[in-house]
Amino acid sequence: IQPRAPRTPSSYYKPPSLFMSFPTSSNHKLLKMENPIWQNPHFFPLLLTCTFFLFPLQPSLSAGLQDDYIRQPPGKVVVAPHLRSKSDPQQVHASLAGKEYMRISWVTDEKDVASKVEYGKVSGKYEAMAVGNHTSYHYFFYSSGKIHHVKIGPLEPATTYYYNTMLNNLAITCDLGQTEWTASTLSHVDSKDYDVFLLPGDPSYADTQQPLWDSFGRLVEPYASRRPWMVTEGNHEIETFPIIYPHGFKAYNTRWLMPYQESGSTSNLYYSFDVAGSHIIMLGSYTDFDEDSVQYKWLESDLRKVDRKKTPWVIVLLHAPWYNTNLAHKGEGESMRKAMEDLLYRARVDVVFAGHVHAYERFTRIYNNKADQCGPLYITIGDGGNREGLALMFENPTPEVSVYREPSFGHGRLRVVDESRAHWSWHRNNDSDSFVADEVWLQSLTTTKSCWHNTANTDGSKSKVNKDEL
């Protein structure tokens, strides 16, 4: 410790330097240190300080503790992997956002996912929806996903609320059956999250063998018990028998009860419901559908009630396709098309899914057998995994209205992004893997202004569209 020199107005004390001075030499020769550095009185205090900070002393584990107490070593770092799809919400968390409000935050890898939250007081029944905003950031070589923040409320005190940040994923396949390919399809469907599973006909292929209905129920239970399965009938569910069972569909109607009464229908063979910003209509290909039928009148009424502000997308599913370039089941949906196509066209239905043909085929927008920008997009997806095999024979040459066709097993996914955009992808079964073989972005007809000139009258009467103006 150096003594402090008395300070004066004209001078101050300068502490001695750690290193000795080197006199300047005029001949630029190498200078020598007058005294070794360790003889400087400041060397050891500085060395001790550097040692303390660079190599801090570890406290003794036994200091102040009982001899038999052993502290556990630090645990390994746990890294949570990302096992969901790019559009699925992850890292969801809630936080307070002022009096009577909460903020729901989450992340998606997909950039085109809307920042929306549905919420309500009953699980699965969301009566309110809030729209928020999103952001992202970069840090050196790291780029974050799309970070969503949505403020919901006002909320009532002492009340439990349920919310849903994943509003837009529909899984679709048809002609499912009970084969190894069925198991492959279900595994691929389950590999990514979804809201609702849509199956337009031929689920079990029981064909009057009732124990196969039980087998099918057990096969799909791990999936159907965790996500809503919405189905409609196919030809393999008819199961009629002369005199004893003349009306058919006994097993199907008993086992797979759909919300037909809730949608104003009088038959479990056709009904409608709302999900993911979409109004979904399940039609019956094997019950009466002409203009005088109950189904026709119900469909006409149901379409008239659609509020495109709440459900901007309108989707129809049925079993026998209205458009088909495969030689299998050629023309079997033609009579239904002639009866009901005008209703769907005037209502500006966005997409029509069908099965029956054991292959995949995507068409362009069509009306009356011709490409029409205001008609529905038609997709055949009868490729779930049935025991009858694939429909391998297509027409040649390929008609202009057919965009993509392939005889393979698989399933499809429709992701509704917002009121104007949706993404469709078809996933082919490649043994243990699922491969996206076809995909397309869709524009909702709700936002296609040119398609709303001279459409159907508000009373649902059949005023024709002047197609020259579309």
Side-chain angles (χ1 to χ4, degrees), residues 322-327 330 361-366 369-371 378 393-405:
W322 293 358
Y323 291 97
N324 171 31
T325 70
N326 197 294
L327 298 183
K330 186 68 176 177
E361 184 168 17
R362 174 169 62 88
F363 294 84
T364 187
R365 293 190 176 276
I366 305 175
N369 290 293
K370 296 180 181 179
Y378 286 85
M393 303 297 292
F394 284 97
E395 295 178 11
N396 283 313
T398 304
E400 292 183 359
V401 293
S402 180
V403 179
Y404 185 95
R405 55 188 191 174

PDB file of all heavy atoms in Angstrom, residues 322-327 330 361-366 369-371 378 393-405:
ATOM      1  N   TRP A 322     -69.379 -35.719 -60.190  1.00  0.00           N
ATOM      2  CA  TRP A 322     -70.112 -35.148 -61.328  1.00  0.00           C
ATOM      3  C   TRP A 322     -69.195 -35.006 -62.537  1.00  0.00           C
ATOM      4  O   TRP A 322     -69.673 -35.013 -63.663  1.00  0.00           O
ATOM      5  CB  TRP A 322     -70.697 -33.794 -60.944  1.00  0.00           C
ATOM      6  CG  TRP A 322     -71.778 -33.873 -59.911  1.00  0.00           C
ATOM      7  CD1 TRP A 322     -72.283 -34.999 -59.336  1.00  0.00           C
ATOM      8  CD2 TRP A 322     -72.477 -32.778 -59.329  1.00  0.00           C
ATOM      9  NE1 TRP A 322     -73.271 -34.682 -58.429  1.00  0.00           N
ATOM     10  CE2 TRP A 322     -73.408 -33.321 -58.402  1.00  0.00           C
ATOM     11  CE3 TRP A 322     -72.408 -31.399 -59.474  1.00  0.00           C
ATOM     12  CZ2 TRP A 322     -74.265 -32.519 -57.648  1.00  0.00           C
ATOM     13  CZ3 TRP A 322     -73.263 -30.598 -58.729  1.00  0.00           C
ATOM     14  CH2 TRP A 322     -74.187 -31.152 -57.822  1.00  0.00           C
ATOM     15  N   TYR A 323     -67.913 -34.847 -62.298  1.00  0.00           N
ATOM     16  CA  TYR A 323     -66.935 -34.754 -63.376  1.00  0.00           C
ATOM     17  C   TYR A 323     -65.861 -35.806 -63.140  1.00  0.00           C
ATOM     18  O   TYR A 323     -65.305 -35.930 -62.036  1.00  0.00           O
ATOM     19  CB  TYR A 323     -66.342 -33.352 -63.453  1.00  0.00           C
ATOM     20  CG  TYR A 323     -67.351 -32.332 -63.915  1.00  0.00           C
ATOM     21  CD1 TYR A 323     -68.060 -31.547 -63.004  1.00  0.00           C
ATOM     22  CD2 TYR A 323     -67.625 -32.165 -65.281  1.00  0.00           C
ATOM     23  CE1 TYR A 323     -69.006 -30.629 -63.435  1.00  0.00           C
ATOM     24  CE2 TYR A 323     -68.568 -31.246 -65.714  1.00  0.00           C
ATOM     25  CZ  TYR A 323     -69.252 -30.485 -64.791  1.00  0.00           C
ATOM     26  OH  TYR A 323     -70.210 -29.576 -65.230  1.00  0.00           O
ATOM     27  N   ASN A 324     -65.546 -36.574 -64.185  1.00  0.00           N
ATOM     28  CA  ASN A 324     -64.672 -37.718 -64.028  1.00  0.00           C
ATOM     29  C   ASN A 324     -64.107 -38.114 -65.398  1.00  0.00           C
ATOM     30  O   ASN A 324     -64.861 -38.370 -66.335  1.00  0.00           O
ATOM     31  CB  ASN A 324     -65.474 -38.888 -63.432  1.00  0.00           C
ATOM     32  CG  ASN A 324     -64.704 -40.197 -63.440  1.00  0.00           C
ATOM     33  OD1 ASN A 324     -63.486 -40.208 -63.332  1.00  0.00           O
ATOM     34  ND2 ASN A 324     -65.433 -41.307 -63.583  1.00  0.00           N
ATOM     35  N   THR A 325     -62.776 -38.160 -65.526  1.00  0.00           N
ATOM     36  CA  THR A 325     -62.154 -38.611 -66.778  1.00  0.00           C
ATOM     37  C   THR A 325     -61.582 -40.009 -66.645  1.00  0.00           C
ATOM     38  O   THR A 325     -60.856 -40.468 -67.521  1.00  0.00           O
ATOM     39  CB  THR A 325     -61.037 -37.634 -67.214  1.00  0.00           C
ATOM     40  OG1 THR A 325     -59.928 -37.746 -66.324  1.00  0.00           O
ATOM     41  CG2 THR A 325     -61.543 -36.205 -67.264  1.00  0.00           C
ATOM     42  N   ASN A 326     -61.887 -40.698 -65.530  1.00  0.00           N
ATOM     43  CA  ASN A 326     -61.468 -42.084 -65.352  1.00  0.00           C
ATOM     44  C   ASN A 326     -62.533 -42.997 -65.948  1.00  0.00           C
ATOM     45  O   ASN A 326     -63.721 -42.682 -65.909  1.00  0.00           O
ATOM     46  CB  ASN A 326     -61.280 -42.387 -63.864  1.00  0.00           C
ATOM     47  CG  ASN A 326     -60.473 -43.643 -63.619  1.00  0.00           C
ATOM     48  OD1 ASN A 326     -60.903 -44.748 -63.940  1.00  0.00           O
ATOM     49  ND2 ASN A 326     -59.286 -43.479 -63.042  1.00  0.00           N
ATOM     50  N   LEU A 327     -62.120 -44.121 -66.501  1.00  0.00           N
ATOM     51  CA  LEU A 327     -63.076 -45.049 -67.094  1.00  0.00           C
ATOM     52  C   LEU A 327     -63.926 -45.748 -66.033  1.00  0.00           C
ATOM     53  O   LEU A 327     -65.013 -46.251 -66.334  1.00  0.00           O
ATOM     54  CB  LEU A 327     -62.342 -46.093 -67.944  1.00  0.00           C
ATOM     55  CG  LEU A 327     -61.545 -45.531 -69.136  1.00  0.00           C
ATOM     56  CD1 LEU A 327     -60.937 -46.672 -69.945  1.00  0.00           C
ATOM     57  CD2 LEU A 327     -62.425 -44.651 -70.015  1.00  0.00           C
ATOM     58  N   LYS A 330     -67.747 -44.239 -64.915  1.00  0.00           N
ATOM     59  CA  LYS A 330     -67.965 -43.139 -65.858  1.00  0.00           C
ATOM     60  C   LYS A 330     -69.450 -42.807 -65.965  1.00  0.00           C
ATOM     61  O   LYS A 330     -70.287 -43.664 -66.218  1.00  0.00           O
ATOM     62  CB  LYS A 330     -67.419 -43.532 -67.231  1.00  0.00           C
ATOM     63  CG  LYS A 330     -67.466 -42.422 -68.262  1.00  0.00           C
ATOM     64  CD  LYS A 330     -66.515 -41.306 -67.918  1.00  0.00           C
ATOM     65  CE  LYS A 330     -66.486 -40.238 -68.993  1.00  0.00           C
ATOM     66  NZ  LYS A 330     -65.626 -39.113 -68.628  1.00  0.00           N
ATOM     67  N   GLU A 361     -58.033 -36.903 -58.783  1.00  0.00           N
ATOM     68  CA  GLU A 361     -58.121 -36.047 -59.967  1.00  0.00           C
ATOM     69  C   GLU A 361     -58.581 -34.654 -59.554  1.00  0.00           C
ATOM     70  O   GLU A 361     -59.560 -34.508 -58.823  1.00  0.00           O
ATOM     71  CB  GLU A 361     -59.080 -36.624 -61.004  1.00  0.00           C
ATOM     72  CG  GLU A 361     -59.120 -35.812 -62.300  1.00  0.00           C
ATOM     73  CD  GLU A 361     -59.825 -36.520 -63.439  1.00  0.00           C
ATOM     74  OE1 GLU A 361     -60.567 -37.489 -63.175  1.00  0.00           O
ATOM     75  OE2 GLU A 361     -59.631 -36.105 -64.601  1.00  0.00           O
ATOM     76  N   ARG A 362     -57.848 -33.656 -60.026  1.00  0.00           N
ATOM     77  CA  ARG A 362     -58.233 -32.256 -59.783  1.00  0.00           C
ATOM     78  C   ARG A 362     -58.577 -31.588 -61.110  1.00  0.00           C
ATOM     79  O   ARG A 362     -57.801 -31.630 -62.061  1.00  0.00           O
ATOM     80  CB  ARG A 362     -57.106 -31.487 -59.089  1.00  0.00           C
ATOM     81  CG  ARG A 362     -57.406 -29.990 -58.945  1.00  0.00           C
ATOM     82  CD  ARG A 362     -56.419 -29.300 -58.020  1.00  0.00           C
ATOM     83  NE  ARG A 362     -55.059 -29.345 -58.501  1.00  0.00           N
ATOM     84  CZ  ARG A 362     -54.516 -28.435 -59.332  1.00  0.00           C
ATOM     85  NH1 ARG A 362     -55.256 -27.435 -59.809  1.00  0.00           N
ATOM     86  NH2 ARG A 362     -53.262 -28.553 -59.700  1.00  0.00           N
ATOM     87  N   PHE A 363     -59.743 -30.956 -61.122  1.00  0.00           N
ATOM     88  CA  PHE A 363     -60.202 -30.231 -62.295  1.00  0.00           C
ATOM     89  C   PHE A 363     -60.027 -28.731 -62.087  1.00  0.00           C
ATOM     90  O   PHE A 363     -59.713 -28.266 -60.982  1.00  0.00           O
ATOM     91  CB  PHE A 363     -61.684 -30.525 -62.561  1.00  0.00           C
ATOM     92  CG  PHE A 363     -61.968 -31.948 -62.950  1.00  0.00           C
ATOM     93  CD1 PHE A 363     -62.129 -32.930 -61.982  1.00  0.00           C
ATOM     94  CD2 PHE A 363     -62.085 -32.311 -64.285  1.00  0.00           C
ATOM     95  CE1 PHE A 363     -62.381 -34.254 -62.332  1.00  0.00           C
ATOM     96  CE2 PHE A 363     -62.342 -33.625 -64.646  1.00  0.00           C
ATOM     97  CZ  PHE A 363     -62.493 -34.596 -63.672  1.00  0.00           C
ATOM     98  N   THR A 364     -60.236 -27.988 -63.142  1.00  0.00           N
ATOM     99  CA  THR A 364     -60.315 -26.541 -63.022  1.00  0.00           C
ATOM    100  C   THR A 364     -61.724 -26.186 -62.561  1.00  0.00           C
ATOM    101  O   THR A 364     -62.550 -27.058 -62.300  1.00  0.00           O
ATOM    102  CB  THR A 364     -59.990 -25.869 -64.364  1.00  0.00           C
ATOM    103  OG1 THR A 364     -59.931 -24.461 -64.154  1.00  0.00           O
ATOM    104  CG2 THR A 364     -61.044 -26.205 -65.419  1.00  0.00           C
ATOM    105  N   ARG A 365     -62.043 -24.914 -62.456  1.00  0.00           N
ATOM    106  CA  ARG A 365     -63.418 -24.496 -62.164  1.00  0.00           C
ATOM    107  C   ARG A 365     -64.289 -24.799 -63.379  1.00  0.00           C
ATOM    108  O   ARG A 365     -63.918 -24.470 -64.511  1.00  0.00           O
ATOM    109  CB  ARG A 365     -63.464 -23.016 -61.810  1.00  0.00           C
ATOM    110  CG  ARG A 365     -62.757 -22.695 -60.487  1.00  0.00           C
ATOM    111  CD  ARG A 365     -63.024 -21.270 -60.039  1.00  0.00           C
ATOM    112  NE  ARG A 365     -62.420 -21.001 -58.747  1.00  0.00           N
ATOM    113  CZ  ARG A 365     -62.983 -21.297 -57.575  1.00  0.00           C
ATOM    114  NH1 ARG A 365     -64.170 -21.882 -57.560  1.00  0.00           N
ATOM    115  NH2 ARG A 365     -62.375 -21.024 -56.444  1.00  0.00           N
ATOM    116  N   ILE A 366     -65.451 -25.406 -63.130  1.00  0.00           N
ATOM    117  CA  ILE A 366     -66.293 -25.898 -64.222  1.00  0.00           C
ATOM    118  C   ILE A 366     -67.752 -25.534 -63.982  1.00  0.00           C
ATOM    119  O   ILE A 366     -68.217 -25.505 -62.832  1.00  0.00           O
ATOM    120  CB  ILE A 366     -66.185 -27.431 -64.362  1.00  0.00           C
ATOM    121  CG1 ILE A 366     -64.729 -27.879 -64.523  1.00  0.00           C
ATOM    122  CG2 ILE A 366     -67.013 -27.943 -65.533  1.00  0.00           C
ATOM    123  CD1 ILE A 366     -64.567 -29.388 -64.550  1.00  0.00           C
ATOM    124  N   ASN A 369     -69.963 -28.602 -67.920  1.00  0.00           N
ATOM    125  CA  ASN A 369     -68.943 -29.286 -68.712  1.00  0.00           C
ATOM    126  C   ASN A 369     -67.928 -28.364 -69.388  1.00  0.00           C
ATOM    127  O   ASN A 369     -67.164 -28.815 -70.239  1.00  0.00           O
ATOM    128  CB  ASN A 369     -69.589 -30.184 -69.783  1.00  0.00           C
ATOM    129  CG  ASN A 369     -70.274 -31.397 -69.193  1.00  0.00           C
ATOM    130  OD1 ASN A 369     -69.615 -32.275 -68.639  1.00  0.00           O
ATOM    131  ND2 ASN A 369     -71.589 -31.442 -69.290  1.00  0.00           N
ATOM    132  N   LYS A 370     -67.883 -27.119 -69.000  1.00  0.00           N
ATOM    133  CA  LYS A 370     -66.924 -26.190 -69.580  1.00  0.00           C
ATOM    134  C   LYS A 370     -66.205 -25.424 -68.466  1.00  0.00           C
ATOM    135  O   LYS A 370     -66.769 -25.185 -67.395  1.00  0.00           O
ATOM    136  CB  LYS A 370     -67.620 -25.200 -70.510  1.00  0.00           C
ATOM    137  CG  LYS A 370     -68.259 -25.841 -71.738  1.00  0.00           C
ATOM    138  CD  LYS A 370     -68.914 -24.783 -72.605  1.00  0.00           C
ATOM    139  CE  LYS A 370     -69.574 -25.412 -73.830  1.00  0.00           C
ATOM    140  NZ  LYS A 370     -70.240 -24.393 -74.670  1.00  0.00           N
ATOM    141  N   ALA A 371     -64.966 -25.051 -68.755  1.00  0.00           N
ATOM    142  CA  ALA A 371     -64.222 -24.238 -67.790  1.00  0.00           C
ATOM    143  C   ALA A 371     -64.942 -22.918 -67.566  1.00  0.00           C
ATOM    144  O   ALA A 371     -65.361 -22.260 -68.521  1.00  0.00           O
ATOM    145  CB  ALA A 371     -62.805 -23.986 -68.297  1.00  0.00           C
ATOM    146  N   TYR A 378     -63.591 -28.809 -58.917  1.00  0.00           N
ATOM    147  CA  TYR A 378     -63.984 -30.189 -58.646  1.00  0.00           C
ATOM    148  C   TYR A 378     -62.752 -31.054 -58.389  1.00  0.00           C
ATOM    149  O   TYR A 378     -61.775 -31.016 -59.140  1.00  0.00           O
ATOM    150  CB  TYR A 378     -64.787 -30.760 -59.812  1.00  0.00           C
ATOM    151  CG  TYR A 378     -66.196 -30.203 -59.887  1.00  0.00           C
ATOM    152  CD1 TYR A 378     -66.453 -28.995 -60.528  1.00  0.00           C
ATOM    153  CD2 TYR A 378     -67.265 -30.884 -59.308  1.00  0.00           C
ATOM    154  CE1 TYR A 378     -67.738 -28.475 -60.587  1.00  0.00           C
ATOM    155  CE2 TYR A 378     -68.559 -30.377 -59.361  1.00  0.00           C
ATOM    156  CZ  TYR A 378     -68.791 -29.174 -60.003  1.00  0.00           C
ATOM    157  OH  TYR A 378     -70.068 -28.658 -60.050  1.00  0.00           O
ATOM    158  N   MET A 393     -57.303 -46.657 -65.210  1.00  0.00           N
ATOM    159  CA  MET A 393     -57.526 -46.282 -66.601  1.00  0.00           C
ATOM    160  C   MET A 393     -58.188 -44.907 -66.715  1.00  0.00           C
ATOM    161  O   MET A 393     -59.316 -44.709 -66.273  1.00  0.00           O
ATOM    162  CB  MET A 393     -58.404 -47.332 -67.281  1.00  0.00           C
ATOM    163  CG  MET A 393     -57.836 -48.751 -67.216  1.00  0.00           C
ATOM    164  SD  MET A 393     -56.257 -48.903 -68.097  1.00  0.00           S
ATOM    165  CE  MET A 393     -56.833 -48.681 -69.790  1.00  0.00           C
ATOM    166  N   PHE A 394     -57.472 -43.967 -67.339  1.00  0.00           N
ATOM    167  CA  PHE A 394     -57.999 -42.630 -67.603  1.00  0.00           C
ATOM    168  C   PHE A 394     -58.221 -42.450 -69.106  1.00  0.00           C
ATOM    169  O   PHE A 394     -57.601 -43.138 -69.928  1.00  0.00           O
ATOM    170  CB  PHE A 394     -57.038 -41.552 -67.109  1.00  0.00           C
ATOM    171  CG  PHE A 394     -57.044 -41.346 -65.617  1.00  0.00           C
ATOM    172  CD1 PHE A 394     -56.096 -41.967 -64.814  1.00  0.00           C
ATOM    173  CD2 PHE A 394     -57.990 -40.538 -65.022  1.00  0.00           C
ATOM    174  CE1 PHE A 394     -56.093 -41.776 -63.453  1.00  0.00           C
ATOM    175  CE2 PHE A 394     -57.995 -40.337 -63.651  1.00  0.00           C
ATOM    176  CZ  PHE A 394     -57.047 -40.961 -62.858  1.00  0.00           C
ATOM    177  N   GLU A 395     -59.075 -41.499 -69.431  1.00  0.00           N
ATOM    178  CA  GLU A 395     -59.297 -41.151 -70.834  1.00  0.00           C
ATOM    179  C   GLU A 395     -58.018 -40.571 -71.444  1.00  0.00           C
ATOM    180  O   GLU A 395     -57.246 -39.896 -70.779  1.00  0.00           O
ATOM    181  CB  GLU A 395     -60.400 -40.096 -70.959  1.00  0.00           C
ATOM    182  CG  GLU A 395     -61.774 -40.544 -70.531  1.00  0.00           C
ATOM    183  CD  GLU A 395     -62.775 -39.411 -70.648  1.00  0.00           C
ATOM    184  OE1 GLU A 395     -62.439 -38.359 -71.253  1.00  0.00           O
ATOM    185  OE2 GLU A 395     -63.894 -39.558 -70.134  1.00  0.00           O
ATOM    186  N   ASN A 396     -57.853 -40.830 -72.714  1.00  0.00           N
ATOM    187  CA  ASN A 396     -56.757 -40.218 -73.467  1.00  0.00           C
ATOM    188  C   ASN A 396     -57.308 -39.665 -74.778  1.00  0.00           C
ATOM    189  O   ASN A 396     -58.088 -40.349 -75.447  1.00  0.00           O
ATOM    190  CB  ASN A 396     -55.653 -41.239 -73.754  1.00  0.00           C
ATOM    191  CG  ASN A 396     -54.788 -41.492 -72.528  1.00  0.00           C
ATOM    192  OD1 ASN A 396     -54.365 -40.560 -71.862  1.00  0.00           O
ATOM    193  ND2 ASN A 396     -54.555 -42.762 -72.218  1.00  0.00           N
ATOM    194  N   PRO A 397     -56.915 -38.452 -75.172  1.00  0.00           N
ATOM    195  CA  PRO A 397     -56.037 -37.542 -74.431  1.00  0.00           C
ATOM    196  C   PRO A 397     -56.745 -36.929 -73.227  1.00  0.00           C
ATOM    197  O   PRO A 397     -57.967 -37.010 -73.119  1.00  0.00           O
ATOM    198  CB  PRO A 397     -55.698 -36.481 -75.477  1.00  0.00           C
ATOM    199  CG  PRO A 397     -56.900 -36.460 -76.353  1.00  0.00           C
ATOM    200  CD  PRO A 397     -57.373 -37.876 -76.445  1.00  0.00           C
ATOM    201  N   THR A 398     -55.981 -36.299 -72.349  1.00  0.00           N
ATOM    202  CA  THR A 398     -56.546 -35.687 -71.151  1.00  0.00           C
ATOM    203  C   THR A 398     -57.407 -34.485 -71.531  1.00  0.00           C
ATOM    204  O   THR A 398     -56.932 -33.585 -72.225  1.00  0.00           O
ATOM    205  CB  THR A 398     -55.428 -35.219 -70.202  1.00  0.00           C
ATOM    206  OG1 THR A 398     -54.585 -36.328 -69.888  1.00  0.00           O
ATOM    207  CG2 THR A 398     -56.011 -34.636 -68.939  1.00  0.00           C
ATOM    208  N   PRO A 399     -58.665 -34.439 -71.098  1.00  0.00           N
ATOM    209  CA  PRO A 399     -59.505 -33.264 -71.377  1.00  0.00           C
ATOM    210  C   PRO A 399     -58.916 -31.999 -70.768  1.00  0.00           C
ATOM    211  O   PRO A 399     -58.211 -32.045 -69.746  1.00  0.00           O
ATOM    212  CB  PRO A 399     -60.833 -33.635 -70.717  1.00  0.00           C
ATOM    213  CG  PRO A 399     -60.824 -35.127 -70.642  1.00  0.00           C
ATOM    214  CD  PRO A 399     -59.396 -35.508 -70.421  1.00  0.00           C
ATOM    215  N   GLU A 400     -59.188 -30.863 -71.379  1.00  0.00           N
ATOM    216  CA  GLU A 400     -58.606 -29.596 -70.931  1.00  0.00           C
ATOM    217  C   GLU A 400     -59.030 -29.230 -69.513  1.00  0.00           C
ATOM    218  O   GLU A 400     -58.289 -28.552 -68.800  1.00  0.00           O
ATOM    219  CB  GLU A 400     -58.985 -28.474 -71.893  1.00  0.00           C
ATOM    220  CG  GLU A 400     -58.355 -28.602 -73.272  1.00  0.00           C
ATOM    221  CD  GLU A 400     -58.694 -27.421 -74.169  1.00  0.00           C
ATOM    222  OE1 GLU A 400     -59.441 -26.526 -73.701  1.00  0.00           O
ATOM    223  OE2 GLU A 400     -58.217 -27.380 -75.310  1.00  0.00           O
ATOM    224  N   VAL A 401     -60.214 -29.658 -69.089  1.00  0.00           N
ATOM    225  CA  VAL A 401     -60.697 -29.271 -67.759  1.00  0.00           C
ATOM    226  C   VAL A 401     -60.022 -30.065 -66.649  1.00  0.00           C
ATOM    227  O   VAL A 401     -60.123 -29.694 -65.475  1.00  0.00           O
ATOM    228  CB  VAL A 401     -62.224 -29.448 -67.666  1.00  0.00           C
ATOM    229  CG1 VAL A 401     -62.938 -28.464 -68.585  1.00  0.00           C
ATOM    230  CG2 VAL A 401     -62.621 -30.884 -67.974  1.00  0.00           C
ATOM    231  N   SER A 402     -59.339 -31.158 -66.980  1.00  0.00           N
ATOM    232  CA  SER A 402     -58.637 -31.960 -65.983  1.00  0.00           C
ATOM    233  C   SER A 402     -57.207 -31.452 -65.854  1.00  0.00           C
ATOM    234  O   SER A 402     -56.428 -31.466 -66.803  1.00  0.00           O
ATOM    235  CB  SER A 402     -58.640 -33.435 -66.388  1.00  0.00           C
ATOM    236  OG  SER A 402     -57.963 -34.215 -65.426  1.00  0.00           O
ATOM    237  N   VAL A 403     -56.842 -31.016 -64.642  1.00  0.00           N
ATOM    238  CA  VAL A 403     -55.541 -30.388 -64.412  1.00  0.00           C
ATOM    239  C   VAL A 403     -54.495 -31.400 -63.951  1.00  0.00           C
ATOM    240  O   VAL A 403     -53.353 -31.380 -64.401  1.00  0.00           O
ATOM    241  CB  VAL A 403     -55.673 -29.259 -63.376  1.00  0.00           C
ATOM    242  CG1 VAL A 403     -54.305 -28.611 -63.101  1.00  0.00           C
ATOM    243  CG2 VAL A 403     -56.670 -28.213 -63.853  1.00  0.00           C
ATOM    244  N   TYR A 404     -54.875 -32.290 -63.028  1.00  0.00           N
ATOM    245  CA  TYR A 404     -53.923 -33.278 -62.501  1.00  0.00           C
ATOM    246  C   TYR A 404     -54.692 -34.541 -62.140  1.00  0.00           C
ATOM    247  O   TYR A 404     -55.744 -34.490 -61.506  1.00  0.00           O
ATOM    248  CB  TYR A 404     -53.207 -32.740 -61.262  1.00  0.00           C
ATOM    249  CG  TYR A 404     -52.137 -33.667 -60.735  1.00  0.00           C
ATOM    250  CD1 TYR A 404     -50.812 -33.501 -61.117  1.00  0.00           C
ATOM    251  CD2 TYR A 404     -52.440 -34.703 -59.854  1.00  0.00           C
ATOM    252  CE1 TYR A 404     -49.820 -34.356 -60.647  1.00  0.00           C
ATOM    253  CE2 TYR A 404     -51.463 -35.553 -59.382  1.00  0.00           C
ATOM    254  CZ  TYR A 404     -50.153 -35.382 -59.780  1.00  0.00           C
ATOM    255  OH  TYR A 404     -49.170 -36.232 -59.322  1.00  0.00           O
ATOM    256  N   ARG A 405     -54.175 -35.703 -62.527  1.00  0.00           N
ATOM    257  CA  ARG A 405     -54.826 -36.970 -62.203  1.00  0.00           C
ATOM    258  C   ARG A 405     -53.775 -38.049 -61.984  1.00  0.00           C
ATOM    259  O   ARG A 405     -52.758 -38.096 -62.672  1.00  0.00           O
ATOM    260  CB  ARG A 405     -55.801 -37.368 -63.302  1.00  0.00           C
ATOM    261  CG  ARG A 405     -55.195 -37.450 -64.697  1.00  0.00           C
ATOM    262  CD  ARG A 405     -56.260 -37.650 -65.756  1.00  0.00           C
ATOM    263  NE  ARG A 405     -55.684 -37.979 -67.059  1.00  0.00           N
ATOM    264  CZ  ARG A 405     -56.380 -38.321 -68.132  1.00  0.00           C
ATOM    265  NH1 ARG A 405     -57.716 -38.369 -68.058  1.00  0.00           N
ATOM    266  NH2 ARG A 405     -55.785 -38.612 -69.269  1.00  0.00           N
TER     267      ARG A 405
END
